[in-house]
Amino acid sequence: MLKPILCAASLVFSLSAIASDVSAVLPKIKEIAANPAIVAAVKEGNNKKLSLDAIKAIDEKWKSTSGNLPEAQATQSNEAATVLKTAETNNPSFKESILTDNQGANVAITALTSDYWQGDEPKFTKAFAAGKGEDYVARPKRDDSTGAVIAQISVPVMDAGAAIGTLTVGVDIGKSQ
């Protein structure tokens, strides 16, 4: 009978530690999302006015070529990607960043993503919140290659009180303090 109690206590401690870690990094992520270069990049992405069909076509090519496309190179080398890479360097718990437009298409990334369109995933839909913008923290998952526990934290990129895109940062929960 003692073992389940210890497991429950351990789970409560773990959830408490994760909440503390998220509280520590959320303001930093929101600050990055408000950076003028980040906002400008999202506006530029939105101004392309790609149809959802065009975005999905790029997404299919992205997945079939493992991101070996000019669009992938562009999203990893633009000014916003440089801002995100600098943020990762300055915050060792930040492991990956994905900036999207108002449809969930990648605008800037710091590591190659498995797909181009994030618009069908909770990290986008919950943070974009139909243009209202809300913070979203995904359930932490253990990364098999590193053993690190990563939580994706998503925040809206806001302009004039409305969400215009999202920023998702993969945070190593064990290193966020």
Side-chain angles (χ1 to χ4, degrees):
M1 203 61 147
L2 186 57
K3 189 171 184 175
I5 293 171
L6 289 176
C7 290
S10 175
L11 177 62
V12 170
F13 174 76
S14 295
L15 292 176
S16 174
I18 290 168
S20 174
D21 288 346
V22 169
S23 295
V25 298
L26 188 58
K28 294 175 188 175
I29 295 170
K30 289 172 103 58
E31 183 179 323
I32 297 163
N35 180 299
I38 296 296
V39 174
V42 173
K43 285 181 174 180
E44 183 180 325
N46 290 342
N47 286 337
K48 291 179 182 176
K49 300 198 184 303
L50 293 177
S51 69
L52 187 54
D53 286 340
I55 290 170
K56 287 181 177 181
I58 295 168
D59 188 54
E60 287 304 315
K61 286 194 307 189
W62 187 293
K63 289 188 276 191
S64 70
T65 63
S66 300
N68 190 16
L69 295 170
E71 292 89 350
Q73 298 300 322
T75 59
Q76 288 183 288
S77 61
N78 60 30
E79 183 182 356
T82 300
V83 170
L84 297 174
K85 289 173 187 172
T86 299
E88 288 179 7
T89 299
N90 294 337
N91 298 278
S93 65
F94 293 6
K95 300 301 176 192
E96 175 188 40
S97 301
I98 305 168
L99 183 66
T100 69
D101 68 10
N102 61 4
Q103 295 186 82
N106 289 352
V107 170
I109 56 176
T110 59
L112 192 60
T113 56
S114 60
D115 58 355
Y116 173 74
W117 185 51
Q118 314 305 315
D120 59 343
E121 299 176 31
K123 64 185 168 200
F124 173 80
T125 60
K126 301 279 188 184
F128 192 73
K132 294 181 295 196
E134 294 180 10
D135 301 337
Y136 173 72
V137 180
R139 173 180 286 151
K141 296 180 181 176
R142 182 167 304 282
D143 182 322
D144 291 333
S145 63
T146 65
V149 177
I150 305 292
Q152 287 190 323
I153 300 174
S154 301
V155 299
V157 176
M158 303 294 286
D159 186 51
I164 61 169
T166 66
L167 173 61
T168 298
V169 178
V171 177
D172 182 341
I173 294 299
K175 290 188 176 180
S176 65
Q177 292 292 326

